[in-house]
Amino acid sequence: MKNRATAKRLIERYFRQLTEGCGNSNCTNEFCASHSAFQPLDNNSAAAKSLELFKVNAKLCDYYPSVRSSTDASSQMGSKMSVDEFSDVHYLTEHTVCRILGFCEEEGDYAPLIRVIGRIFSNADALMKSFRKDELSVTNNLESLTSNDEKQRETSKKEDASTRAALPDETPNGLPDACELTVDIDAVRRVYDRLLSIDQVEAALVNALIYLTPNVELDLEYLDVYETSPDYLNIFIIVMENSNLHSPEYLEVALPQFCKAMSKLPLTALARLSKLWSTYDLPHIRRMMETFQQLITFTVVSNEYDTENLVNDNETVVAATQCLKIIFYASILGGEVDVEHNEEDEEDSESNELTLHELLGEERLYKKGPRVDPLEKELGVRPIDSIRPLIPFEDFVNDSLNDVIEMDKDFTFFKVNAETKFSFQSCPFILNMITKSQGLYYDNRIRMYSERRLTALYSMVQGQQPSPYLKLKVRRDHIIDDALVRLEMISMENPSDLKKQLFVEFEGEQGVDEGGVSKEFFQLVLEEIFNPDIGMFTYADDAHLFWFNSSSLENEAQYTLIGIVLGLAIYNNCILDVHFPMVVYRKLMGKRGTFLDLSDSHPVLHQSLKGLIDYTGSLEHDMVLTFQISHTDLFGNPILYNLKEQGDQIPVTKENRQEFVDLYVEYILNKSVERQFKAFKKGFLMVTNESPLKYLFRPEEVELLICGSRKLDFEALEKTTEYDGGYSKDSQIIKDFWEIIHSFGEKQKRQFLQFTTGTDRAPVGGLAKLKMIIAKNGSDTDRLPTSHTCFNALLLPEYSSKEKLRERLLKAITYAKGFGML
């Protein structure tokens, strides 16, 4: 339907060109009524000819309308000047605009300026040729510009980052542009500063943009104008310099149409825009980001959406989101970026055999390998490469949009109908954590159901009893050994079983795993694996974090197990009490550890190495360091390691200290733990390698998925808590209980959360998503409150006074380790 409507609009343009002409008295197009040799056609003949021209993609003229404001119309009769005073102006330069402005100010009438602005800004060819850099050489000899002015302009041109972006051999990621940018951006900004102060000109700009953009959209979609004329990009560069695009006059019609036209640009053009805008200073790039965000918000709140009327079908929201993506990558390119230091991805062996998914026609739902955004690939930079973007990632999230997205439908578009339907998961930067986690939840559940179906089909063929779950039967006192043996067997024999829903059973105990038993299993496994006596991980008291023990005696299977456990936690929507530095999640997502990561994982060492880099004295005499370092093993014995061959013979100097630091960090964060981390990552990917985790989430968001949020809103928890055993929200002890909880400090609140749920963090979406239960556990007693962490349940006796409740509760949460938590 959309293509048919577009074709109709294009044919109508040919028809108007044949019957009315383009308005250019010097037109050279033989199929235009404005051409001097054109023979007039009746409407029927023109209609037939229009269809012929459409089929062969014949040349379309730009139209020269008379765009004027009501002020222009009312003053036209009384004006002394000729209507054609500036009819010879076919494109704009800064000098031309200043000349016309001066004339209008002298006459006290802006009508000529309004006509010229309307004519040029509504005409793609005229606007494309405007404000060219090469016009600077023409204006050098004009009397209005002094030699000093020219020197200042040349200096500012060299210094301005936006102008530097135009160089074909110098782009932010080292890739050459398709061709040199030809717009003098400084001149455009100065012109806008003068024009936007005149109300009548603002109206002319709005009207011109409304007329310009549908024609530009058609040109891009059907005539491939950018391929033949890369300068066509100038139109978008010039229009986006208008600082009033976010104002109400543009939001209704002009800006939505402009975004739709911009979204039709080919990939190479989008990449050029992104690279150019990455060189702008922060206020300019932020203004553009806020312009697109404002259009999205305005459109969303102005409409109503439901399961039948999806926001995915709103062309304005979709186009503005796609335009926002250009700014998103510009923000990354313009900030601090590290495109190096990447972990090598292990290649999955491809099989020529048809899978059952392919035989069932479901291969699109279960594509292997992570997605790659086309613009990301074209630019050669990923969000994970960003150290510090120009604009924080959080500012690209649009909450109004997130509130109306139907994630079940969006997920279907993302996985199945990507060619015909737009999914907001293709622009994950605009989604918040709750929305993205919903998308991941649907992906996980679909895979679980799929594995059940495949198991049933295999069982029917092989005559075996189907097992739709990932069943783990473990003994409490041998939980690591049992889990390791079972998961290792599954990972070798049938790794796809890891994608089934987890079902844990403790030997000798009755009970159905509805999520609580699995949660307890995760807690017990983590408690044992992170036990310092086992020696798999070391604990840094200064950072309160665990790190891989480079001299661990445990085999790789143990590390693979903890990787599988983290993957299963995400897959089964469980929060884990894990304390890893951020570099672990960055490495899981494909980056190697660097000096910046050291501040989080090894703060004392980071401070020492930073002091070494900043030291102004004589390193050879004052510090006497060599390229040999030492650290201790599991038993406290020193281990010497040469960072370079014969490192003990190479002194650290001012000249080579950066190399020393880089090699030291590479050893600590990568080489020394390579065996352990590789096994750990292998286990993690066994569960998550086919999910959109790497595409949708950044490392800090993966940590949030696994460990939960540190932001605690106990007011929200109180509203969603349920009561059992005779308690209700109106019970006096419950009122006292919440008063006590709200009076606690941050540390005590975290202790209470740890006591009740097994972790001191909130799940994605906050404490309101926790579903805590407070159940009555007898009448007044001296017994302490207890908890079932696997069910987020607090068992609370009905104490006789508020003071006793506070004293008993504090004692329970303070001394809870190994006591009171069931």
Side-chain angles (χ1 to χ4, degrees), residues 257 285 378 741 798:
Q257 287 184 180
I285 190 170
E378 182 74 16
I741 292 295
E798 192 171 13

Side-chain angles (χ1 to χ4, degrees), residues 410-427:
D410 193 270
F411 171 77
T412 305
F413 301 156
F414 181 63
K415 298 295 285 188
V416 182
N417 301 327
E419 293 82 9
T420 57
K421 283 285 198 176
F422 178 80
S423 166
F424 287 98
Q425 288 181 82
S426 66
C427 297

Side-chain angles (χ1 to χ4, degrees), residues 127 148 179 215 218 227 258 302 307 316 350 361 407 420 450 468 493 696 783 795 808:
L127 191 58
N148 288 336
C179 64
N215 297 334
L218 291 171
E227 282 72 12
F258 178 74
S302 302
T307 53
T316 297
E350 292 290 333
M407 276 310 290
T420 57
S450 169
E493 293 180 357
L696 292 177
R783 287 184 291 112
L795 307 180
R808 296 281 86 187

Side-chain angles (χ1 to χ4, degrees), residues 365-366 411 415 425 436-452 498-502 566-574 687-693 696-697 705:
L365 267 176
Y366 308 100
F411 171 77
K415 298 295 285 188
Q425 288 181 82
K436 283 196 270 195
S437 63
Q438 284 177 344
L440 188 65
Y441 173 82
Y442 283 119
D443 186 81
N444 293 345
R445 285 297 175 265
I446 289 289
R447 291 182 188 279
M448 288 178 183
Y449 297 148
S450 169
E451 290 304 326
R452 289 187 197 176
L498 294 171
K499 297 176 178 64
K500 294 178 180 178
Q501 187 172 349
L502 182 62
L566 257 66
L568 287 174
I570 292 177
Y571 207 65
N572 290 271
N573 208 24
C574 265
V687 187
T688 64
N689 65 332
E690 293 177 12
S691 84
L693 183 75
L696 292 177
F697 297 90
L705 276 177

Side-chain angles (χ1 to χ4, degrees), residues 550-551 628-642 667:
S550 58
S551 56
Q628 184 181 74
I629 61 171
S630 68
H631 62 98
T632 56
D633 65 10
L634 190 61
F635 306 103
N637 300 317
I639 297 176
L640 299 177
Y641 178 79
N642 285 332
Y667 174 73

Side-chain angles (χ1 to χ4, degrees), residues 9 28 217 232 240 297 339 441 481 511 648 694 791 811:
R9 286 164 57 194
T28 58
E217 183 182 350
Y232 206 79
M240 282 304 298
T297 302
V339 294
Y441 173 82
D481 295 335
D648 58 329
K694 193 172 182 179
F791 296 109
K811 183 166 286 188

Side-chain angles (χ1 to χ4, degrees), residues 533-629:
D533 295 337
I534 292 182
M536 287 181 65
F537 296 92
T538 58
Y539 183 75
D541 292 319
D542 52 348
H544 306 293
L545 297 169
F546 287 96
W547 183 246
F548 297 86
N549 189 343
S550 58
S551 56
S552 171
L553 302 177
E554 299 295 332
N555 60 34
E556 293 173 15
Q558 298 273 30
Y559 288 99
T560 302
L561 171 63
I562 188 62
I564 290 174
V565 166
L566 257 66
L568 287 174
I570 292 177
Y571 207 65
N572 290 271
N573 208 24
C574 265
I575 297 293
L576 300 183
D577 188 27
V578 176
H579 301 275
F580 279 136
M582 185 56 64
V583 64
V584 170
Y585 303 102
R586 283 175 48 79
K587 284 167 71 69
L588 281 175
M589 301 291 274
K591 299 297 288 186
R592 293 179 74 78
T594 64
F595 179 70
L596 290 173
D597 298 308
L598 207 65
S599 62
D600 182 29
S601 61
H602 300 74
V604 174
L605 177 60
H606 176 267
Q607 200 61 35
S608 299
L609 292 178
K610 189 175 184 302
L612 176 67
I613 293 172
D614 297 338
Y615 192 69
T616 55
S618 171
L619 291 175
E620 296 95 318
H621 295 95
D622 298 347
M623 295 194 180
V624 197
L625 295 172
T626 68
F627 274 71
Q628 184 181 74
I629 61 171

